[in-house]
Amino acid sequence: KAGVTQTPRYLIKTRGQQVTLSCSPISGHRSVSWYQQTPGQGLQFLFEYFSETQRNKGNFPGRFSGRQFSNSRSEMNVSTLELGDSALYLCASSPPGQGAFSNEKLFFGSGTQLSVL
Amino acid sequence: GQNIDQPTEMTATEGAIVQINCTYQTSGFNGLFWYQQHAGEAPTFLSYNVLDGLEEKGRFSSFLSRSKGYSYLLLKELQMKDSASYLCAVIDSNYQLIWGAGTKLIIKP
């Protein structure tokens, strides 16, 4: 079974630009959540999608948005990039059950390393 | 606020035992996870605790004390491949996952 796939693996952008990251969950997984990871900080929760609906949202500005398609693939968009947006963006999927925040373990992708210059 | 504390970095010797601590202050508690993350790779699930006590899984064990807001991950018979970051995460009362910053474990021969 293929794991969670994130593309692209690396991305370099300049301030003010926008970026779209993609995540394909494990087949059969309907919940997809996104995290931002920076050195010295814990994973910061961005949002979670389930069956094309945003079910949970973290404390990030409106520049961060996402969506999920009918095949469970998800995209995350960041507009008007700032230097502080440089981070590893991780996507995780979880199997059918009570959702990403129960005792269902998360399956992570390898992430997209975003550098904003 | 919600807070999860882990040591930033630990060093241990191959073949030895190491205990990585995690203390948490969250609004409610619905479980605690430990994940392993090798540099440049995806975090992978290690353990889940929701009741007090020790859960053993091969060379790795995880302990939870809900009254103390405390957990530890115990790694035995350390191998070089155990060099990684270990992430502690707590599910709060809103079923949000709160993550610690992770503990970087360095194994020396």
Side-chain angles (χ1 to χ4, degrees):
Chain A
K1 212 175 198 184
V4 177
T5 305
Q6 289 189 248
T7 56
R9 187 74 177 88
Y10 301 95
L11 206 49
I12 299 175
K13 292 285 187 179
T14 56
R15 277 183 301 174
Q17 287 187 308
Q18 76 163 18
V19 67
T20 299
L21 313 181
S22 179
C23 172
S24 293
I26 292 172
S27 178
H29 289 193
R30 291 162 64 190
S31 169
V32 174
S33 49
W34 288 88
Y35 293 88
Q36 182 193 67
Q37 186 178 36
T38 51
Q41 301 246 349
L43 273 70
Q44 303 294 315
F45 171 68
L46 283 153
F47 26 66
E48 184 223 355
Y49 286 88
F50 182 84
S51 293
E52 302 180 65
T53 301
Q54 187 180 87
R55 192 161 61 172
N56 253 307
K57 190 176 189 304
N59 297 322
F60 276 79
R63 300 186 296 107
F64 291 80
S65 63
R67 59 178 176 168
Q68 186 180 34
F69 301 95
S70 58
N71 62 358
S72 294
R73 189 177 72 86
S74 177
E75 286 183 349
M76 189 191 102
N77 186 75
V78 187
S79 62
T80 321
L81 283 166
E82 299 176 1
L83 295 179
D85 298 333
S86 295
L88 179 67
Y89 290 88
L90 291 165
C91 162
S93 70
S94 59
Q98 295 176 14
F101 303 117
S102 65
N103 62 341
E104 300 289 353
K105 62 184 181 182
L106 298 175
F107 294 81
F108 284 89
S110 296
T112 294
Q113 183 66 55
L114 172 64
S115 297
V116 182
L117 306 177
Chain B
Q2 311 212 79
N3 197 48
I4 298 196
D5 285 317
Q6 305 178 235
T8 303
E9 187 174 296
M10 298 181 71
T11 302
T13 305
E14 191 177 14
I17 299 173
V18 70
Q19 177 175 310
I20 302 174
N21 296 325
C22 170
T23 56
Y24 61 89
Q25 293 173 311
T26 56
S27 57
F29 177 85
N30 283 298
L32 184 144
F33 288 99
W34 283 96
Y35 280 78
Q36 179 191 60
Q37 186 178 24
H38 286 100
E41 297 183 13
T44 55
F45 170 84
L46 287 177
S47 67
Y48 170 75
N49 294 69
V50 66
L51 299 176
D52 290 350
L54 187 68
E55 297 268 349
E56 297 187 74
K57 198 184 289 185
R59 294 189 300 115
F60 291 11
S61 303
S62 56
F63 172 82
L64 174 68
S65 168
R66 288 172 296 172
S67 62
K68 294 182 179 177
Y70 168 69
S71 172
Y72 67 72
L73 182 69
L74 192 71
L75 291 74
K76 302 176 187 175
E77 300 168 19
L78 285 169
Q79 301 175 10
M80 297 303 292
K81 67 178 182 179
D82 297 330
S83 291
S85 288
Y86 292 86
L87 313 178
C88 173
V90 170
I91 307 170
D92 70 8
S93 57
N94 294 319
Y95 285 91
Q96 296 258 352
L97 261 176
I98 312 300
W99 294 81
T103 298
K104 183 178 180 180
L105 178 63
I106 299 168
I107 309 298
K108 294 186 174 179

